[in-house]
Amino acid sequence: MTGCLILLTVLGLTAAVPVARALDRAVWPEREPVLGLWVWQCLVVTALLSCLTALALGMAGIFRTVREDLFGSAPPAVVAAYNLSPVPAWAVALTLLLAAGAAWTVAVLVGRLRAVRRAQGAARDRLRERAPELPDGLPAKGGPLLVLEDEYPDAWWAPGSPARLVVTTGALHRLTDGQLDAVFTHERGHARARHDWLLHLSAGFAEGFPRVPLFSLFCERTHRLVELAADDTAARRCGQVTTALALVELNQHRGVFSCASSRRLLADRVDRLLTPPPRLRTRTRVLTATTAACAPLLPLLITFAPGIDALG
């Protein structure tokens, strides 16, 4: 068991620090944002599984009831292969640390979920207040599109039940039909990929563990890559120039394209649409996605290796 704990700890720390920093420095996720999001998620799952499996083995070594639940039906040779007792003091301390981390993770994610639901409820209330009153004879329940009276152009996806695409009259007046289609396709791309939940999850991990590079970088990169992925979705349907012009029209009144602006993401998105970087080769994309998908199997392989070897 101690060997498995050491390997799982090393794997989790490797994924959380050096691999996360190396992925953050990589340039290719900007060229393939969907693939970049997939690799980041696989890396997070690998680190979490390393901690979870190490916690399960440590708890099995410390507590007899946990050991009986996990190994009660296992052959004696498998139980002997894990050498669950005696448990060294460092393994006990590591298990208690992992247990505290697991409890804190659950508390943070539950708190984040409640905060998100409250924020969504407040946003729906504000939309109901701003929504124009419909003439008599029209259904009171709105459809998937909500138009708000506002001179400033804006559009966003409002998650909830039902989810709605919100657009202002300023956007309808300023944007052409092709640009509106690009904006709607962009927002539908967010909704179809459930980017809102990915953003909430990454933000929850970053708030709970701000000093862990994996979670802080995951949150930062997720906010960037989801926008690039939605831009690519709109560009494939409506064209890169049309999508770039729609971004400019929607955001130029905010001053985000000025030299003094600290929000460079929008300017970077426009530059990327006007001068798109070359995509990775298909073989490289498939190999990267497959390697990332196999990474979460490593902690499971380490955990089950002694039992498989004993059965063999």
Side-chain angles (χ1 to χ4, degrees):
M1 180 191 72
T2 55
C4 290
L5 285 178
I6 293 174
L7 289 176
L8 290 170
T9 303
V10 170
L11 178 60
L13 290 175
T14 302
V17 183
V19 177
R21 287 175 174 167
L23 183 58
D24 178 63
R25 291 192 299 267
V27 180
W28 66 263
E30 300 278 324
R31 299 162 61 183
E32 299 288 348
V34 175
L35 181 59
L37 287 170
W38 170 251
V39 174
W40 273 109
Q41 292 175 76
C42 289
L43 187 61
V44 170
V45 172
T46 301
L48 294 178
L49 276 178
S50 299
C51 296
L52 185 61
T53 51
L55 175 61
L57 287 178
M59 296 288 285
I62 297 174
F63 300 104
R64 180 181 295 274
T65 55
V66 178
R67 186 186 317 165
E68 292 176 352
D69 291 337
L70 294 179
F71 295 91
S73 58
V78 173
V79 179
Y82 282 94
N83 192 20
L84 295 173
S85 60
V87 182
W90 66 266
V92 175
L94 177 62
T95 302
L96 295 178
L97 180 63
L98 290 174
W104 176 246
T105 301
V106 173
V108 168
L109 293 181
V110 170
R112 182 74 185 183
L113 178 62
R114 292 176 177 173
V116 168
R117 294 196 178 280
R118 287 196 299 268
Q120 289 181 351
R124 286 194 296 269
D125 292 339
R126 289 194 298 269
L127 285 178
R128 278 194 291 266
E129 293 175 359
R130 295 181 59 189
E133 295 184 3
L134 298 177
D136 295 337
L138 292 179
K141 184 177 180 180
L145 179 65
L146 176 62
V147 179
L148 298 180
E149 288 283 351
D150 196 329
E151 62 177 316
Y152 293 106
D154 204 356
W156 68 93
W157 186 265
S161 180
R164 309 178 84 179
L165 181 60
V166 184
V167 62
T168 64
T169 53
L172 296 178
H173 293 153
R174 181 171 297 186
L175 273 64
T176 65
D177 292 343
Q179 292 169 358
L180 282 173
D181 191 20
V183 171
F184 294 161
T185 304
H186 176 100
E187 297 301 332
R188 282 195 297 265
H190 281 314
R192 194 173 296 114
R194 302 312 303 261
H195 285 163
D196 55 332
W197 284 110
L198 184 58
L199 291 171
H200 295 319
L201 185 64
S202 64
F205 281 125
E207 291 175 5
F209 303 93
R211 295 185 180 275
V212 179
L214 172 61
F215 297 135
S216 58
L217 294 175
F218 176 51
C219 179
E220 178 183 338
R221 286 300 166 186
T222 297
H223 279 76
R224 183 178 183 89
L225 292 178
V226 296
E227 295 299 336
L228 299 184
D231 286 345
D232 288 347
T233 301
R236 283 192 296 269
R237 174 183 172 90
C238 307
Q240 295 164 339
V241 175
T242 301
T243 305
L245 291 176
L247 282 176
V248 172
E249 292 293 340
L250 280 179
N251 296 281
Q252 64 180 352
H253 67 280
R254 298 186 174 98
V256 295
F257 296 105
S258 65
C259 296
S261 175
S262 60
R263 297 174 58 186
R264 291 293 305 169
L265 176 56
L266 280 167
D268 292 342
R269 289 166 58 192
V270 172
D271 291 340
R272 180 176 176 273
L273 287 168
L274 295 178
T275 56
R279 297 196 63 185
L280 298 178
R281 293 184 300 175
T282 302
R283 180 180 178 182
T284 304
R285 295 200 302 268
V286 172
L287 182 61
T288 303
T290 304
T291 304
C294 292
L297 299 178
L298 289 176
L300 300 178
L301 181 61
I302 294 172
T303 303
F304 292 113
I308 295 174
D309 184 63
L311 291 176

